Amino acid sequence: MTALVAVVGALGAVAVVTGLLVFTVNSMARATFLLLASFVAVGAVLIGFGLGYLGTVVILMMTIEMMIMVVFMVMLMMNPAGLMPMTMVHNRRGSWAIALVVFGLLTTGVWLVPFPTPGPAAVGDPTLALGDALMGGQMLTMMTLGLALLATIVGTVAVAVSRR
Amino acid sequence: MSTTELVLRLALTAAAALIATGLYGALSQQSVVMIMMGLELVVNGLLLAAGAFWWAGGAPVVASVLIVVLVTVMAVEMAMGFAVALALYRARQVDLTDDAAELAG
């Protein structure tokens, strides 16, 4: 249990620090890999919590997604490697203020609200429980997600296709 | 405070920091791809929070279903974001939101 405190603290810190670095490095390619590191840290925390399947899905999906992102950067961005340092931000001070206020509010809530914590339960296989739920009581959720993904496939092709 | 509570609150604090960082990025960045990275960080924080609630709350299955929903949201956001970036580039040859602010012409 104390090991889990250390793991969650350390990996949470890694996720936050790499997340912050995403918006401070010059190179967008580096930013992509820092974002990937942040996602891998969160995926590892999920695995530490016992959600082995979902944690692995997050890590695998994000690895592939970030590779696609790198391709898009090289295709479209004017300065993907950060060789010509330039700032591409607007209203930095206002954005920081909003972000800090949101962080303050959320953190206050996190440490003041009395959460009901029955603690980790012995549920057997959480992946089996998830599959049962998605094919049973949560079927509507699954169908909605499927439809949303289908709409995304059609929508992305419709938006991105050349009109000439 | 019990250890379970401590782990939950630590994870939720990290999640809050991720959400705030993502918000800063989405609000301040000009590049379309960097804005998408900010949105991804917000969803990353939500993933962490959902996992923490699953673990500390006695493993309710709805929490893991929520993680599936979040992963799907991330995929949809990414796909639509890239499609919009591509459409924007095709139409105007721009990759910054400020350059895309003018109406067509």
PDB file of all heavy atoms in Angstrom, chain A residues 50-54 121-133, chain B residues 54 59 61 64:
ATOM      1  N   GLY A  50      -4.520  -1.706 -10.914  1.00  0.00           N
ATOM      2  CA  GLY A  50      -5.124  -3.009 -11.188  1.00  0.00           C
ATOM      3  C   GLY A  50      -5.905  -3.046 -12.481  1.00  0.00           C
ATOM      4  O   GLY A  50      -6.507  -4.062 -12.814  1.00  0.00           O
ATOM      5  N   LEU A  51      -5.936  -1.916 -13.212  1.00  0.00           N
ATOM      6  CA  LEU A  51      -6.638  -1.893 -14.494  1.00  0.00           C
ATOM      7  C   LEU A  51      -5.631  -2.215 -15.602  1.00  0.00           C
ATOM      8  O   LEU A  51      -5.315  -1.358 -16.427  1.00  0.00           O
ATOM      9  CB  LEU A  51      -7.266  -0.517 -14.729  1.00  0.00           C
ATOM     10  CG  LEU A  51      -8.499  -0.188 -13.879  1.00  0.00           C
ATOM     11  CD1 LEU A  51      -8.845   1.287 -13.977  1.00  0.00           C
ATOM     12  CD2 LEU A  51      -9.684  -1.016 -14.343  1.00  0.00           C
ATOM     13  N   GLY A  52      -5.144  -3.450 -15.610  1.00  0.00           N
ATOM     14  CA  GLY A  52      -4.083  -3.823 -16.537  1.00  0.00           C
ATOM     15  C   GLY A  52      -4.459  -3.633 -17.991  1.00  0.00           C
ATOM     16  O   GLY A  52      -3.696  -3.076 -18.788  1.00  0.00           O
ATOM     17  N   TYR A  53      -5.685  -4.068 -18.347  1.00  0.00           N
ATOM     18  CA  TYR A  53      -6.099  -3.998 -19.745  1.00  0.00           C
ATOM     19  C   TYR A  53      -6.230  -2.555 -20.215  1.00  0.00           C
ATOM     20  O   TYR A  53      -5.660  -2.158 -21.238  1.00  0.00           O
ATOM     21  CB  TYR A  53      -7.420  -4.749 -19.915  1.00  0.00           C
ATOM     22  CG  TYR A  53      -8.074  -4.547 -21.244  1.00  0.00           C
ATOM     23  CD1 TYR A  53      -7.518  -5.077 -22.396  1.00  0.00           C
ATOM     24  CD2 TYR A  53      -9.249  -3.812 -21.358  1.00  0.00           C
ATOM     25  CE1 TYR A  53      -8.106  -4.881 -23.628  1.00  0.00           C
ATOM     26  CE2 TYR A  53      -9.847  -3.606 -22.580  1.00  0.00           C
ATOM     27  CZ  TYR A  53      -9.275  -4.142 -23.707  1.00  0.00           C
ATOM     28  OH  TYR A  53      -9.867  -3.929 -24.916  1.00  0.00           O
ATOM     29  N   LEU A  54      -6.973  -1.738 -19.425  1.00  0.00           N
ATOM     30  CA  LEU A  54      -7.207  -0.357 -19.851  1.00  0.00           C
ATOM     31  C   LEU A  54      -5.909   0.449 -19.863  1.00  0.00           C
ATOM     32  O   LEU A  54      -5.693   1.275 -20.753  1.00  0.00           O
ATOM     33  CB  LEU A  54      -8.243   0.300 -18.936  1.00  0.00           C
ATOM     34  CG  LEU A  54      -9.666  -0.209 -19.142  1.00  0.00           C
ATOM     35  CD1 LEU A  54     -10.602   0.350 -18.092  1.00  0.00           C
ATOM     36  CD2 LEU A  54     -10.175   0.146 -20.521  1.00  0.00           C
ATOM     37  N   ALA A 121     -11.464  -3.278  -3.952  1.00  0.00           N
ATOM     38  CA  ALA A 121     -12.284  -4.465  -3.709  1.00  0.00           C
ATOM     39  C   ALA A 121     -11.731  -5.626  -4.515  1.00  0.00           C
ATOM     40  O   ALA A 121     -11.123  -5.439  -5.559  1.00  0.00           O
ATOM     41  CB  ALA A 121     -13.727  -4.185  -4.119  1.00  0.00           C
ATOM     42  N   ALA A 122     -11.944  -6.829  -4.010  1.00  0.00           N
ATOM     43  CA  ALA A 122     -11.541  -8.021  -4.748  1.00  0.00           C
ATOM     44  C   ALA A 122     -12.658  -8.362  -5.718  1.00  0.00           C
ATOM     45  O   ALA A 122     -13.643  -8.993  -5.356  1.00  0.00           O
ATOM     46  CB  ALA A 122     -11.278  -9.165  -3.796  1.00  0.00           C
ATOM     47  N   VAL A 123     -12.548  -7.868  -6.959  1.00  0.00           N
ATOM     48  CA  VAL A 123     -13.620  -8.077  -7.927  1.00  0.00           C
ATOM     49  C   VAL A 123     -13.312  -9.223  -8.865  1.00  0.00           C
ATOM     50  O   VAL A 123     -14.062  -9.480  -9.786  1.00  0.00           O
ATOM     51  CB  VAL A 123     -13.875  -6.825  -8.783  1.00  0.00           C
ATOM     52  CG1 VAL A 123     -14.659  -5.812  -8.007  1.00  0.00           C
ATOM     53  CG2 VAL A 123     -12.579  -6.259  -9.292  1.00  0.00           C
ATOM     54  N   GLY A 124     -12.212  -9.898  -8.654  1.00  0.00           N
ATOM     55  CA  GLY A 124     -11.810 -10.894  -9.645  1.00  0.00           C
ATOM     56  C   GLY A 124     -11.136 -10.179 -10.785  1.00  0.00           C
ATOM     57  O   GLY A 124     -10.294  -9.316 -10.568  1.00  0.00           O
ATOM     58  N   ASP A 125     -11.557 -10.481 -12.011  1.00  0.00           N
ATOM     59  CA  ASP A 125     -10.918  -9.909 -13.183  1.00  0.00           C
ATOM     60  C   ASP A 125     -11.658  -8.638 -13.612  1.00  0.00           C
ATOM     61  O   ASP A 125     -12.794  -8.720 -14.082  1.00  0.00           O
ATOM     62  CB  ASP A 125     -10.929 -10.942 -14.317  1.00  0.00           C
ATOM     63  CG  ASP A 125     -10.118 -10.465 -15.506  1.00  0.00           C
ATOM     64  OD1 ASP A 125      -9.582  -9.339 -15.434  1.00  0.00           O
ATOM     65  OD2 ASP A 125     -10.026 -11.209 -16.487  1.00  0.00           O
ATOM     66  N   PRO A 126     -11.041  -7.450 -13.462  1.00  0.00           N
ATOM     67  CA  PRO A 126     -11.749  -6.227 -13.858  1.00  0.00           C
ATOM     68  C   PRO A 126     -12.035  -6.162 -15.349  1.00  0.00           C
ATOM     69  O   PRO A 126     -13.013  -5.545 -15.771  1.00  0.00           O
ATOM     70  CB  PRO A 126     -10.799  -5.108 -13.418  1.00  0.00           C
ATOM     71  CG  PRO A 126      -9.478  -5.743 -13.240  1.00  0.00           C
ATOM     72  CD  PRO A 126      -9.725  -7.170 -12.882  1.00  0.00           C
ATOM     73  N   THR A 127     -11.181  -6.816 -16.172  1.00  0.00           N
ATOM     74  CA  THR A 127     -11.417  -6.814 -17.615  1.00  0.00           C
ATOM     75  C   THR A 127     -12.692  -7.591 -17.951  1.00  0.00           C
ATOM     76  O   THR A 127     -13.499  -7.160 -18.785  1.00  0.00           O
ATOM     77  CB  THR A 127     -10.219  -7.434 -18.350  1.00  0.00           C
ATOM     78  OG1 THR A 127      -9.017  -6.881 -17.817  1.00  0.00           O
ATOM     79  CG2 THR A 127     -10.286  -7.155 -19.829  1.00  0.00           C
ATOM     80  N   LEU A 128     -12.879  -8.733 -17.261  1.00  0.00           N
ATOM     81  CA  LEU A 128     -14.091  -9.528 -17.466  1.00  0.00           C
ATOM     82  C   LEU A 128     -15.319  -8.736 -17.038  1.00  0.00           C
ATOM     83  O   LEU A 128     -16.335  -8.707 -17.746  1.00  0.00           O
ATOM     84  CB  LEU A 128     -13.989 -10.836 -16.666  1.00  0.00           C
ATOM     85  CG  LEU A 128     -15.136 -11.816 -16.846  1.00  0.00           C
ATOM     86  CD1 LEU A 128     -15.146 -12.372 -18.251  1.00  0.00           C
ATOM     87  CD2 LEU A 128     -15.033 -12.951 -15.834  1.00  0.00           C
ATOM     88  N   ALA A 129     -15.198  -8.045 -15.878  1.00  0.00           N
ATOM     89  CA  ALA A 129     -16.320  -7.236 -15.394  1.00  0.00           C
ATOM     90  C   ALA A 129     -16.660  -6.138 -16.400  1.00  0.00           C
ATOM     91  O   ALA A 129     -17.838  -5.870 -16.676  1.00  0.00           O
ATOM     92  CB  ALA A 129     -15.973  -6.633 -14.035  1.00  0.00           C
ATOM     93  N   LEU A 130     -15.616  -5.515 -16.977  1.00  0.00           N
ATOM     94  CA  LEU A 130     -15.834  -4.447 -17.964  1.00  0.00           C
ATOM     95  C   LEU A 130     -16.522  -4.997 -19.209  1.00  0.00           C
ATOM     96  O   LEU A 130     -17.492  -4.416 -19.710  1.00  0.00           O
ATOM     97  CB  LEU A 130     -14.489  -3.812 -18.332  1.00  0.00           C
ATOM     98  CG  LEU A 130     -14.510  -2.772 -19.444  1.00  0.00           C
ATOM     99  CD1 LEU A 130     -15.319  -1.563 -19.034  1.00  0.00           C
ATOM    100  CD2 LEU A 130     -13.107  -2.350 -19.830  1.00  0.00           C
ATOM    101  N   GLY A 131     -16.028  -6.144 -19.694  1.00  0.00           N
ATOM    102  CA  GLY A 131     -16.635  -6.750 -20.881  1.00  0.00           C
ATOM    103  C   GLY A 131     -18.082  -7.123 -20.640  1.00  0.00           C
ATOM    104  O   GLY A 131     -18.950  -6.884 -21.493  1.00  0.00           O
ATOM    105  N   ASP A 132     -18.345  -7.695 -19.461  1.00  0.00           N
ATOM    106  CA  ASP A 132     -19.720  -8.052 -19.105  1.00  0.00           C
ATOM    107  C   ASP A 132     -20.618  -6.829 -19.110  1.00  0.00           C
ATOM    108  O   ASP A 132     -21.743  -6.862 -19.612  1.00  0.00           O
ATOM    109  CB  ASP A 132     -19.738  -8.686 -17.702  1.00  0.00           C
ATOM    110  CG  ASP A 132     -19.627 -10.197 -17.779  1.00  0.00           C
ATOM    111  OD1 ASP A 132     -19.804 -10.735 -18.894  1.00  0.00           O
ATOM    112  OD2 ASP A 132     -19.356 -10.830 -16.742  1.00  0.00           O
ATOM    113  N   ALA A 133     -20.082  -5.725 -18.531  1.00  0.00           N
ATOM    114  CA  ALA A 133     -20.899  -4.503 -18.443  1.00  0.00           C
ATOM    115  C   ALA A 133     -21.169  -3.943 -19.837  1.00  0.00           C
ATOM    116  O   ALA A 133     -22.297  -3.559 -20.153  1.00  0.00           O
ATOM    117  CB  ALA A 133     -20.184  -3.466 -17.588  1.00  0.00           C
TER     118      ALA A 133
ATOM    119  N   TRP B  54     -11.970   4.474  -9.581  1.00  0.00           N
ATOM    120  CA  TRP B  54     -12.243   3.040  -9.718  1.00  0.00           C
ATOM    121  C   TRP B  54     -11.559   2.275  -8.603  1.00  0.00           C
ATOM    122  O   TRP B  54     -12.147   1.420  -7.954  1.00  0.00           O
ATOM    123  CB  TRP B  54     -11.745   2.532 -11.076  1.00  0.00           C
ATOM    124  CG  TRP B  54     -11.967   1.065 -11.270  1.00  0.00           C
ATOM    125  CD1 TRP B  54     -13.104   0.477 -11.739  1.00  0.00           C
ATOM    126  CD2 TRP B  54     -11.049   0.012 -10.970  1.00  0.00           C
ATOM    127  NE1 TRP B  54     -12.947  -0.876 -11.754  1.00  0.00           N
ATOM    128  CE2 TRP B  54     -11.706  -1.201 -11.290  1.00  0.00           C
ATOM    129  CE3 TRP B  54      -9.759  -0.042 -10.473  1.00  0.00           C
ATOM    130  CZ2 TRP B  54     -11.104  -2.435 -11.132  1.00  0.00           C
ATOM    131  CZ3 TRP B  54      -9.154  -1.274 -10.306  1.00  0.00           C
ATOM    132  CH2 TRP B  54      -9.816  -2.448 -10.629  1.00  0.00           C
ATOM    133  N   ALA B  59     -13.998  -0.497  -6.859  1.00  0.00           N
ATOM    134  CA  ALA B  59     -14.029  -1.044  -8.215  1.00  0.00           C
ATOM    135  C   ALA B  59     -15.412  -1.068  -8.849  1.00  0.00           C
ATOM    136  O   ALA B  59     -15.887  -2.107  -9.300  1.00  0.00           O
ATOM    137  CB  ALA B  59     -13.418  -2.450  -8.245  1.00  0.00           C
ATOM    138  N   VAL B  61     -17.946  -0.812 -11.786  1.00  0.00           N
ATOM    139  CA  VAL B  61     -17.653  -1.073 -13.193  1.00  0.00           C
ATOM    140  C   VAL B  61     -17.908   0.175 -14.045  1.00  0.00           C
ATOM    141  O   VAL B  61     -17.288   0.353 -15.091  1.00  0.00           O
ATOM    142  CB  VAL B  61     -18.451  -2.298 -13.689  1.00  0.00           C
ATOM    143  CG1 VAL B  61     -19.896  -1.937 -13.950  1.00  0.00           C
ATOM    144  CG2 VAL B  61     -17.812  -2.877 -14.941  1.00  0.00           C
ATOM    145  N   SER B  64     -14.737   2.019 -14.919  1.00  0.00           N
ATOM    146  CA  SER B  64     -13.928   1.513 -16.033  1.00  0.00           C
ATOM    147  C   SER B  64     -14.626   1.767 -17.364  1.00  0.00           C
ATOM    148  O   SER B  64     -13.965   1.982 -18.381  1.00  0.00           O
ATOM    149  CB  SER B  64     -13.577   0.037 -15.838  1.00  0.00           C
ATOM    150  OG  SER B  64     -14.694  -0.708 -15.500  1.00  0.00           O
TER     151      SER B  64
END
